[in-house]
Amino acid sequence: MTRDTLDRTLKILAVLTVFTLPLWVTNPSYLQILILLFWYAYLTTSWNLVGGWAGVLPLGHSAYIGIGAYTSTILAVNYGISPWFGMIAGGVIAAIVGVIIGVPTLKLRGAYFALSTMAFGEGLRVFVENTDRLGSCVLNGPRGICIPLSNSFWNFQFMDKAPYYYIILIMLAIALFITWHMSRIRIGYYLNAGGEEPEAAQALGVNVAKYKVIAMAISCFMTALAGTFYAQLALYFYPKAILGLDLSFEIAFIALIGGRGTLAGPVLGALILRPVSEFSRIYLSSVLPGLHLVIYGLILILVMIFQPRGIQEPLTRFYKWFLDKVTVSRG
Amino acid sequence: MDTILQGIVNGTLIGSIYGLAALGLTLIFGVIKVINFAHGSCLMVGMYAAYWAVKLLGIHPYLAMVIVVPALFFFGYLMQDIVIKPVLKAQSDVREPTEVIIVTTGVWYILDNVTLMIFGAEYRVIQTSISGKIFELGDLIISKPKFYGFIATIVVSLALVWFLKYTKMGKSIRAASLDREAASLMGINQYRVYNIAFGIGTAIMGVVGCALIPFYYVFPTVGVIFDVKCFIIVVLGGLGSIPGALIGGVIVGLIESMGAQFMTSTWTELIVYVVFLAVLFVKPAGLFGSKLDW
């Protein structure tokens, strides 16, 4: 077997495993864990479009998750519009909001953008937590919204977890495709250049801020879709769960630890960091509250000091080394 | 009329203390070009240090500054030297090293949660000799600890400006913040300058901690409240600007205390965010932001 065929076989095997997983993972709670894992991978991939390629640090992406969840739910509960359309509507609103925030701040130093997105995210959380009704729409403030049960494809509700699994998997695949495609067309090159050397790119006639705003709009749109997905999966959500600093930071951390600005980074980051944080929270917080976050902080610092390009770099190197080793020893 | 005047006085006093907290952040940003996300946690450390100094030694909270402020200076100095410097060195060709922001966030998580592990989640209050004391000025009621906090802000800001303008180290700090390559070519050890700047920024949080302790609770995540406030204040005032931080602080304090007379406090929090976003649209680099940031 040559190196290329082995590489291809392994990749096809991985894809097949991922797509057939619900056939052998029948325990719904395990499937739920997998769904949330891919949900994080999807969110981080969306974040990566602006946080990775455009070289800025958005720290308020949970705001767009919230916009997506609340928009589609309000449309469904109040007006009987299918969440599938509500999802798109939420995405459009999130993109518009993202552009409004991005236009003044993306021209400035990165710190302004990071802090502004963070303040916007917190502001939105405070607003939602203090609003019981918005016109005729019920937001229920901090208590959150319950989605009435009605299992059907039209209502984006399913009895078992497998359909959710495939939906988030397809969403992740599309997000990865968009990322891959963007890195190969002009906007990707412009963003990369603008992220690394804004002055040089500008001197060459690239309107860096404009492309950053476009990336921001796409990223916000995609993030809002994940909000609708979460609402339909849980059928109940409240501001603390989908809005606020913790979630925004977690998305950024997954991307940075995985490797920002790379295709595999967000997925690898979610695959490794999510289980670590989940299990350490479950097993350690009863022993010593706070210990799991100390570990989390330590991981962040150590990865940033020793692998500033993220863990995707050593993992990719290991994969290549493994391919070489296997094929050489055979041939 | 009286309530409005009262609101202005209260807002200015508490706002000046916010401004002092933001001053440390803006100083560190001005020099290293990094937002210190562990800034609120440094304040938390300062408040715990002040709390235990008062509790164990039984001294006046303002006298505790003699111990707390140098302790926090070394704390910040060592934090920059041990944790942040290696990343900063690795990223020395990057204008705004994002990795450093993430490292400071890691420090934030560790500090807050180690404190939680050691001291528990409870809210601690300490009764000091000036807690709850007031001046009466006609109909105006002025809280003594907040008034002294206001005085501390003025003293610390003037001292900082003097230090930056007239001492050799202050001049080095300003030089490094303008152009770090040129400064190191002139024989300034840039990493030493960063350590000192970080130390001073953290030491200021020691002053704030001692000023807050007579009238504020101490708990492990107290820093987060001040973190978000400080971020808003420094962007409002313009990153890296000393008058910007102070005036931004007073603006936030005034919004909070004036708003509290008309609505619940959670809504005043929202108004702070609205004003913040409005300023961002009108003058994106903040009220005193430098033209270079455009």
Side-chain angles (χ1 to χ4, degrees), chain A residues 58-94:
Chain A
L59 290 176
H61 256 48
S62 66
Y64 309 107
I65 304 175
I67 290 174
Y70 275 98
T71 307
S72 68
T73 307
I74 286 170
L75 286 178
V77 173
N78 286 33
Y79 305 100
I81 296 169
S82 161
W84 293 104
F85 296 117
M87 199 173 182
I88 306 295
V92 171
I93 294 175

Side-chain angles (χ1 to χ4, degrees), chain A residues 1-312:
Chain A
M1 208 180 332
T2 66
R3 194 176 181 280
D4 281 349
T5 41
L6 179 65
D7 180 30
R8 208 169 300 143
T9 326
L10 283 175
K11 278 178 182 158
I12 289 171
L13 266 178
V15 170
L16 275 179
T17 321
V18 166
F19 267 90
T20 52
L21 220 48
L23 297 180
W24 9 296
V25 180
T26 43
N27 185 334
S29 50
Y30 287 145
L31 208 51
Q32 175 88 355
I33 291 172
L34 284 171
I35 292 170
L36 283 178
L37 209 153
F38 284 121
W39 185 70
Y40 273 101
Y42 171 83
L43 276 176
T44 312
T45 307
S46 312
W47 182 95
N48 197 29
L49 281 177
V50 52
W53 300 98
V56 287
L57 190 66
L59 290 176
H61 256 48
S62 66
Y64 309 107
I65 304 175
I67 290 174
Y70 275 98
T71 307
S72 68
T73 307
I74 286 170
L75 286 178
V77 173
N78 286 33
Y79 305 100
I81 296 169
S82 161
W84 293 104
F85 296 117
M87 199 173 182
I88 306 295
V92 171
I93 294 175
I96 293 170
V97 172
V99 169
I100 293 174
I101 301 294
V103 164
T105 51
L106 281 167
K107 284 183 296 206
L108 301 167
R109 263 182 200 291
Y112 281 94
F113 178 75
L115 295 184
S116 310
T117 48
M118 195 171 144
F120 173 71
E122 276 297 275
L124 191 69
R125 180 184 61 80
V126 172
F127 172 73
V128 174
E129 281 188 344
N130 287 290
T131 311
D132 274 345
R133 336 182 105 258
L134 198 65
S136 63
C137 310
V138 180
L139 294 185
N140 272 342
R143 296 182 303 284
I145 305 184
C146 251
I147 299 174
L149 284 176
S150 56
N151 290 313
S152 74
F153 181 79
W154 175 253
N155 286 328
F156 202 145
Q157 284 184 28
F158 308 97
M159 278 305 279
D160 39 292
K161 299 282 179 199
Y164 290 111
Y165 179 87
Y166 286 111
I167 291 168
I168 195 68
L169 200 59
I170 292 167
M171 282 166 70
L172 176 62
I174 294 173
L176 286 171
F177 175 77
I178 291 175
T179 311
W180 174 79
H181 186 67
M182 262 180 61
S183 69
R184 293 163 58 89
I185 57 174
R186 204 165 40 181
I187 176 168
Y189 290 110
Y190 284 170
L191 282 176
N192 237 336
E196 301 244 319
E197 281 287 347
E199 282 91 359
Q202 240 145 15
L204 291 170
V206 177
N207 187 344
V208 175
K210 180 179 130 192
Y211 287 98
K212 283 185 179 173
V213 171
I214 293 174
M216 180 77 177
I218 300 174
S219 170
C220 294
F221 178 87
M222 284 165 46
T223 306
L225 303 189
T228 303
F229 178 85
Y230 181 87
Q232 296 301 323
L233 175 71
L235 294 177
Y236 165 65
F237 58 92
Y238 54 99
K240 273 257 148 53
I242 52 166
L243 288 165
L245 281 185
D246 290 344
L247 185 55
S248 299
F249 272 68
E250 180 141 33
I251 298 169
F253 291 160
I254 292 174
L256 280 144
I257 287 184
R260 69 203 282 239
T262 62
L263 194 59
V267 181
L268 288 174
L271 277 178
I272 291 169
L273 210 58
R274 279 305 302 163
V276 168
S277 67
E278 278 293 306
F279 285 115
S280 63
R281 188 173 57 80
I282 293 167
Y283 292 111
L284 295 180
S285 58
S286 54
V287 186
L288 204 54
L291 182 59
H292 68 286
L293 284 170
V294 174
I295 294 174
Y296 203 89
L298 272 177
I299 294 179
L300 272 180
I301 294 178
L302 292 177
V303 170
M304 283 304 119
I305 290 179
F306 296 108
Q307 285 295 338
R309 317 222 102 225
I311 48 166
Q312 54 84 27

Side-chain angles (χ1 to χ4, degrees), chain A residues 59 100 104-105 108-112 115-116 118-119 122-123 130 199 249 253 256 260 289-290 293-294 304-305, chain B residues 29 35 37 87 95-96 98-99 102-103 105 113 117 231 235 239 266-267 269-270 273 276 280-281 284-285 293:
Chain A
L59 290 176
I100 293 174
T105 51
L108 301 167
R109 263 182 200 291
Y112 281 94
L115 295 184
S116 310
M118 195 171 144
E122 276 297 275
N130 287 290
E199 282 91 359
F249 272 68
F253 291 160
L256 280 144
R260 69 203 282 239
L293 284 170
V294 174
M304 283 304 119
I305 290 179
Chain B
F29 181 85
I35 312 160
F37 271 71
V87 196
R95 201 176 65 147
E96 274 186 273
T98 312
E99 282 73 11
I102 302 305
V103 168
T105 318
N113 288 290
M117 280 154 60
F231 294 159
V235 176
L239 276 166
T266 38
W267 279 102
E269 203 183 330
L270 191 65
Y273 291 113
F276 166 79
L280 208 61
F281 281 103
D293 284 339

